[in-house]
């Protein structure tokens, strides 16, 4: 476009220059024509030439002047006769021979001028290697009513000298204008013609090429603009590229955030499912194995050292898991202290499971503390048509089983687990119904004075009375604790036992309380309300608790215990000798009674060591000044041993089995009779 503009500008300027040159020639012609007109149309000159001494007049007025006159260089006066004979001819003040100087063409011009009166005839001639402009006009008076058949003619000559050319050039802005004969190359030009229109000479000048000039002036600007444009486009592209990369990075970051756990940097549950789904659809690989693991004892770490240490522990576990085995392609933290590993490879999953458990053999060092935790592992291998959720569900069942089996176990999923799970779910439903239908009833087992065998009290034990199956309290109490029914069950048991116990005003009543009940902040007030409702003397009631709750939730336990002790309720430590409660803890809670677990009694009968443990345990209670009940006394031998060791109360089949209230009435009557 720019070069087109440049060429167009050049063409336009060339046209202008041609018109200027033509105007310059016209101006020169016109000036000479008007000069000759001024002199020829002059009554005095006419009269002098037609009636006087024409030759002398011509010399005095024009010939002499021609010597040094800017308007003309020569003058020719011809007569009115047919031959146009020369009357006078001067060139630069010297007489000369016009026809030999200018050629025969002059006669034609004079001929034309002598007829056409009003206008001067002008044309160019070639003379002596110079170009000469000649203007001719008939000599005539001003008055127009004079008409002659022919006139004398006056011609002025103007040699087109370099000075004339220069003036033309200056007046018409034609730089480099010059006169040439022949056609000049690469120059602009116009012809100077004779009367017949034949070329006499040529005015030529170089094209100004303003377009090219402007172009060369603006070229650096255009080039710079082009560079700027290119730079601009490049930077737009670069910025676009950078923006695209930035957006892609942001999307990646968002995906990373959504699929990863911020604490450990491992995948989260969502990321794990995504990875599993991805792997499951990719063919040609060994079956996937999902290992789920759950830390044992993590809650205790959190409780003892705070969440910051807990978090560090999780991070350290994550680090160890990352490098556990080459076939583990993904490690995820599913929340809390639960992790998952995806194994793709031929190695026996049990071996990987064992490696995972090995991680926990060496303790973790955090801020100078040595922390030991264990783990349980559930393993599920991909089966036909398994989705990610199926795999997760199966590994979860196996993990649940592993945790139930005790610390540090790795359990493989098998279909049995699914069935068990379904059974448990069904059982839960049954238990709920049982509670609603009052199918859970207390049985009562007598507690007797060791020395005399006199029945002093009864322990209420829950029984689920179903016609078609027998489920022991060990099982359904645990189930109730797991599915959140324990509060309801506990309250029912307490109310029913109290109502029955009203029949035996001389007996104490012992009722078992789950740790979960004890931790319920409303527990003490609910018990108080119940005692009030039933109008039962709190001093007759003993609540049996296990020591676990004293360790895990000492504050909650203490609050409930203190509140109820204040109204006279007594507390017995159940299953004493099985756990790890410190002597300090036992003293601090101030139990009214300890119940030695049946396992200690059985063990005492087996060997000497067992007997010593039994004796030591009872001595410990004695040292703490707490009376002791021995559970599970089935034989007189056992009764003798525990009695000798210091137990003041006995419970067991030997004295009486747990029985319904009405049976207990008969039992008590029998006892009284005996
Ligand atoms: P526990 O409190 O230690 O109750 C004593 C258990 O020993 C009872 O088992 C009782 O039947 C059994 N037993 C008593 N004497 C003998 C004996 O001479 N030989 C043998 N082999 N066993 C004897 P049971 O009734 O099956 O209760 C099991 C556990 O379930 C109880 O242990 C208690 O921890 C829990 N439990 C029972 N009822 C309740 C309840 O109402 N609430 C709560 N929270 N737990 C309960
Ligand atoms: Ca008990
Ligand atoms: Ca017990």
């Amino acid at each position: 476009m720019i070069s087109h503009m440049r060429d167009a500008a050049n063409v336009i300027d060339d046209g202008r220059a041609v018109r200027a040159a033509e105007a310059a020639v016209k101006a020169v012609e016109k000036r000479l024509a008007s000069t000759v007109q001024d002199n020829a149309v002059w009554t005095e000159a006419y009269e002098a030439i037609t009636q006087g001494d024409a030759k002398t007049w011509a010399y005095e007025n024009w010939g002499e002047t021609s010597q040094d006159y800017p308007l003309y260089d020569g003058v020719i006066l011809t007569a009115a006769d047919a031959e146009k004979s020369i009357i006078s001819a001067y060139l630069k003040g010297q007489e000369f021979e016009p026809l030999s100087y200018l050629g025969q063409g002059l006669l034609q011009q004079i001929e034309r001028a002598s007829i056409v009166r009003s206008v001067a005839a002008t044309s160019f001639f070639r003379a002596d290697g110079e170009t000469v402009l000649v203007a001719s006009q008939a000599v005539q008076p001003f008055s127009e009513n004079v008409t002659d058949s022919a006139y004398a003619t006056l011609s002025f000559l103007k040699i087109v000298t370099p000075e004339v050319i220069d003036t033309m050039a200056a007046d018409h802005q034609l730089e480099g204008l010059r006169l040439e004969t022949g056609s000049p190359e690469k120059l602009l030009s116009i012809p100077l013609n004779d009367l017949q229109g034949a070329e006499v000479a040529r005015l030529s000048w170089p094209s100004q090429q303003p377009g090219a000039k402007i172009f060369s002036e603006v070229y650096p600007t255009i080039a710079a603009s082009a560079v700027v444009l290119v730079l601009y486009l490049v930077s737009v592209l670069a910025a676009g590229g950078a923006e695209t990369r930035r957006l892609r990075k942001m999307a990646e970051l968002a995906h990373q955030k959504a699929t990863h756990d911020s604490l450990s940097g491992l995948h989260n549950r969502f990321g794990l499912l995504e990875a599993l789904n991805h792997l499951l659809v990719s063919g040609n690989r060994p079956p996937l194995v999902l290992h789920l693991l759950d830390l044992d004892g993590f809650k205790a770490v959190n409780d003892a050292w705070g969440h910051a240490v807990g978090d560090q522990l999780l991070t350290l576990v994550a680090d160890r898991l990352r490098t556990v085995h080459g076939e583990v392609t993904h490690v995820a933290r599913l929340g809390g202290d639960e992790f998952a590993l995806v194994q793709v490879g031929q190695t026996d999953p049990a071996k990987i499971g064992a490696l995972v458990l090995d991680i926990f053999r060496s303790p973790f060092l955090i801020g100078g503390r040595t922390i030991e935790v264990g783990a349980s592992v559930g393993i599920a291998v991909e089966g036909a048509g398994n989705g990610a959720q199926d795999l997760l569900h199966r590994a979860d069942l196996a993990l649940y089983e592993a945790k139930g089996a005790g610390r540090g176990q790795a359990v493989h999923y098998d279909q049995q687990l699914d069935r068990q799970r379904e059974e448990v779910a069904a059982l839960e439903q049954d238990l709920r119904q049982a509670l609603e239908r009052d199918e859970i009833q207390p049985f009562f087992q007598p507690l007797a004075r060791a020395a005399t065998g006199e029945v002093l009290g009864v322990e209420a034990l829950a029984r689920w009375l179903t016609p078609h199956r027998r489920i022991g309290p060990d099982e359904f109490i645990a189930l109730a604790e797991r599915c959140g029914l324990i509060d309801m069950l506990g309250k029912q048991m307490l109310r029913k036992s109290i109502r029955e116990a009203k029949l035996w005003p001389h007996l104490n009543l012992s009722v078992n309380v789950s740790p979960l009940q004890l931790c319920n902040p409303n527990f003490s007030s609910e018990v108080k309300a119940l005692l009030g409702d039933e109008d039962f003397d709190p001093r007759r009631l003993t609540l049996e608790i296990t020591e676990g709750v004293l360790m895990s939730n000492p504050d909650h336990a203490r609050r409930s215990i203190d509140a109820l002790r204040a109204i006279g309720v007594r507390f017995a430590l159940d299953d004493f000798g099985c756990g790890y409660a410190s002597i300090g803890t036992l003293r601090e809670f101030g139990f009214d009674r300890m119940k030695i677990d049946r396992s200690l009694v059985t063990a005492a009968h087996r060997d000497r060591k067992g007997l010593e443990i039994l004796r030591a345990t009872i001595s410990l209670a004695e040292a703490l000044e707490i009376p002791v009940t021995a559970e599970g006394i089935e034989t007189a031998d056992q009764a003798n041993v525990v009695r000798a060791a210091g137990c003041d109360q006995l419970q067991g089949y030997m004295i009486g089995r747990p029985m319904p209230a009405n049976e207990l009435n008969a039992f008590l009557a029998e006892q009284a009779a005996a």
Side-chain angles (χ1 to χ4, degrees):
M1 189 189 73
I2 287 167
S3 71
H4 178 79
M5 281 165 66
R6 176 193 61 193
D7 294 346
N10 288 343
V11 168
I12 288 167
D13 192 69
D14 287 352
R16 174 207 61 88
V18 167
R19 283 193 303 280
E22 284 167 354
V25 171
K26 279 261 154 45
V28 171
E29 283 181 330
K30 206 170 167 201
R31 191 176 322 129
L32 194 62
S34 61
T35 306
V36 83
Q37 188 173 19
D38 287 348
N39 285 277
V41 185
W42 185 12
T43 309
E44 200 178 319
Y46 175 73
E47 284 170 355
I49 286 164
T50 49
Q51 294 151 34
D53 181 358
K55 198 170 164 68
T56 310
W57 207 92
Y59 175 71
E60 284 172 356
N61 282 284
W62 300 314
E64 199 179 14
T65 318
S66 72
Q67 193 176 349
D68 181 24
Y69 191 57
L71 292 181
Y72 52 85
D73 298 310
V75 57
I76 301 163
L77 182 66
T78 51
D81 56 16
E83 290 78 36
K84 309 293 173 201
S85 50
I86 310 285
I87 299 170
S88 169
Y90 283 89
L91 186 65
K92 295 275 180 197
Q94 301 292 316
E95 265 193 297
F96 79 115
E97 195 50 56
L99 286 179
S100 57
Y101 179 60
L102 293 172
Q104 293 297 316
L106 178 67
L107 289 176
Q108 280 171 32
Q109 176 160 328
I110 290 171
E111 180 77 43
R112 189 175 296 177
S114 66
I115 300 161
V116 183
R117 288 175 53 202
S118 54
V119 208
T122 58
S123 66
F124 287 96
F125 290 81
R126 193 81 194 155
D128 269 1
E130 292 182 307
T131 303
V132 183
L133 177 62
V134 180
S136 310
Q137 188 153 22
V139 179
Q140 54 198 292
F142 272 126
S143 57
E144 283 180 9
N145 43 14
V146 179
T147 11
D148 295 352
S149 55
Y151 295 92
T153 311
L154 178 66
S155 298
F156 283 160
L157 283 67
K158 180 72 187 164
I159 302 171
V160 186
T161 58
E163 293 78 56
V164 172
I165 298 288
D166 287 350
T167 314
M168 287 167 78
D171 290 352
H172 291 88
Q173 295 175 15
L174 290 161
E175 229 172 281
L177 187 70
R178 63 177 191 255
L179 199 61
E180 316 225 9
T181 47
S183 59
E185 264 175 56
K186 288 191 185 169
L187 289 176
L188 295 170
S189 62
I190 56 164
L192 300 180
N193 292 338
D194 66 10
L195 211 60
Q196 269 76 42
E199 182 174 325
V200 171
R202 213 160 240 283
L203 278 175
S204 69
W205 66 99
S207 170
Q208 290 300 301
Q209 301 278 327
K213 224 178 277 166
I214 290 168
F215 179 74
S216 68
E217 273 168 24
V218 301
Y219 179 76
T221 316
I222 290 172
S225 306
V227 168
V228 167
L229 182 66
V230 168
L231 285 176
Y232 172 72
L233 290 176
V234 166
S235 54
V236 163
L237 283 177
E243 183 64 6
T244 309
R245 277 193 301 279
R246 194 177 71 86
L247 288 177
R248 195 178 302 142
K249 232 190 188 140
M250 269 169 65
E252 276 167 12
L253 214 73
H255 183 255
Q256 167 84 10
K257 256 192 185 157
T259 54
H260 285 74
D261 166 45
S262 57
L263 174 67
S264 61
L266 300 176
H267 285 90
N268 57 18
R269 182 176 289 271
F270 183 73
L272 175 77
L273 285 173
E274 195 185 67
L276 282 176
N277 284 324
H278 191 75
L279 282 168
L280 284 168
V281 293
S282 68
N284 206 13
R285 50 158 180 80
L288 291 185
V289 185
L290 182 64
H291 302 255
L292 275 192
L293 74 147
D294 193 287
L295 303 190
D296 298 326
F298 176 72
K299 193 180 175 306
V301 171
N302 244 354
D303 289 348
W305 307 112
H307 286 278
V309 172
D311 284 355
Q312 282 187 54
L313 177 62
L314 291 174
T315 314
L316 290 177
V317 169
D319 288 345
R320 290 190 190 177
L321 286 175
R322 257 187 268 263
T323 53
V324 71
H325 194 273
E327 287 181 6
V328 172
T329 58
H330 293 82
V331 183
R333 177 172 168 242
L334 304 186
D337 57 351
E338 204 175 309
F339 293 86
L341 290 84
V342 180
Q343 177 199 346
V344 185
Q346 304 288 359
T347 307
D348 180 6
K351 205 179 145 196
I352 307 265
L355 283 175
V356 170
L357 291 176
D358 275 350
I359 281 179
F360 298 92
R361 274 191 212 288
S362 52
F364 296 84
L365 300 174
I366 299 170
R369 298 183 187 94
T370 305
I371 294 175
E372 283 189 72
V373 283
S376 305
V377 181
I379 303 170
V381 183
E382 174 195 0
N386 272 176
Q389 289 288 6
D390 298 327
L391 210 54
L392 207 59
H393 166 73
R394 293 179 167 192
D396 207 38
L397 283 183
L399 176 62
Y400 185 79
E401 198 64 19
K403 286 185 88 68
R407 285 170 167 246
Q409 300 282 321
V411 171
H412 267 269
Y413 164 85
D414 70 80
Q415 283 181 340
Q416 188 63 31
L417 293 179
D418 254 339
R419 244 167 276 140
Q420 278 175 18
R421 173 85 152 207
E422 280 160 22
E423 279 170 22
V424 168
L427 203 61
E428 259 180 45
Q429 189 53 33
D430 288 355
L431 180 62
R432 212 175 289 273
Q433 277 182 8
L435 282 169
E436 282 159 12
R437 296 177 188 163
D438 264 355
E439 285 173 12
I440 309 254
Q441 296 290 344
F443 271 33
F444 298 93
Q445 186 173 31
L447 300 161
R449 196 193 298 277
T452 60
E454 176 196 357
V455 175
L456 300 170
V458 287
E459 177 179 0
L461 293 161
R463 292 291 179 269
W464 186 353
L465 304 171
T466 48
H468 47 279
R469 71 174 158 209
R470 283 196 64 85
I471 304 166
D474 279 325
E475 204 179 325
F476 70 75
I477 296 288
L479 185 66
E481 285 176 341
R482 264 205 319 271
C483 64
L485 292 171
I486 190 64
D487 273 333
M488 190 175 170
L489 190 152
K491 256 185 270 178
Q492 279 196 11
M493 276 295 294
L494 191 59
R495 185 180 296 276
K496 286 180 181 168
S497 318
I498 285 174
R499 284 185 180 163
E500 303 284 11
K502 282 183 187 165
L503 294 172
W504 321 299
H506 56 289
L507 295 184
N508 288 323
L509 174 67
S510 289
V511 179
N512 294 287
V513 172
S514 157
L516 291 179
Q517 285 176 271
L518 205 64
C519 290
N520 182 345
N522 300 325
F523 177 69
S524 55
S525 52
E526 281 173 4
V527 173
K528 279 186 206 168
L530 205 146
L531 289 170
D533 284 355
E534 300 296 334
D535 194 22
F536 193 83
D537 182 359
R539 284 166 303 180
R540 283 180 60 203
L541 181 65
T542 301
L543 297 180
E544 298 190 3
I545 60 173
T546 49
E547 63 183 29
V549 66
L550 309 180
M551 308 281 284
S552 60
N553 289 67
D555 295 337
H556 288 122
R558 191 193 320 264
R559 229 169 287 144
S560 298
I561 291 171
D562 288 351
L564 290 169
R565 277 174 69 108
I567 59 163
V569 176
R570 280 176 288 185
F571 280 84
L573 183 67
D574 211 349
D575 301 343
F576 180 53
C578 286
Y580 311 90
S582 74
I583 295 165
T585 312
L586 298 179
R587 276 179 72 164
E588 194 186 335
F589 280 89
F591 284 102
D592 303 286
R593 180 161 290 278
M594 301 221 187
K595 296 185 76 175
I596 289 191
D597 194 62
R598 189 168 71 86
S599 61
L600 261 71
V601 176
T602 339
H605 229 66
R606 244 192 321 249
D607 54 24
R608 209 173 156 75
K609 210 173 176 186
L611 181 65
E612 268 161 24
I613 292 173
L614 178 71
R615 281 185 180 146
T617 309
I618 294 169
S619 324
L620 176 60
E622 279 189 321
L624 292 167
E625 295 176 329
I626 303 173
V628 180
T629 303
E631 286 182 342
I633 304 298
E634 295 182 352
T635 63
D637 258 9
Q638 287 172 336
N640 290 334
V641 168
V642 296
R643 199 183 293 121
C647 288
D648 71 335
Q649 218 177 63
L650 302 180
Q651 177 181 7
Y653 294 171
M654 192 193 89
I655 292 110
R657 290 185 173 255
M659 56 193 107
N662 53 353
E663 274 181 36
L664 187 75
N665 284 330
F667 174 86
L668 290 174
E670 226 171 82
Q671 282 265 313

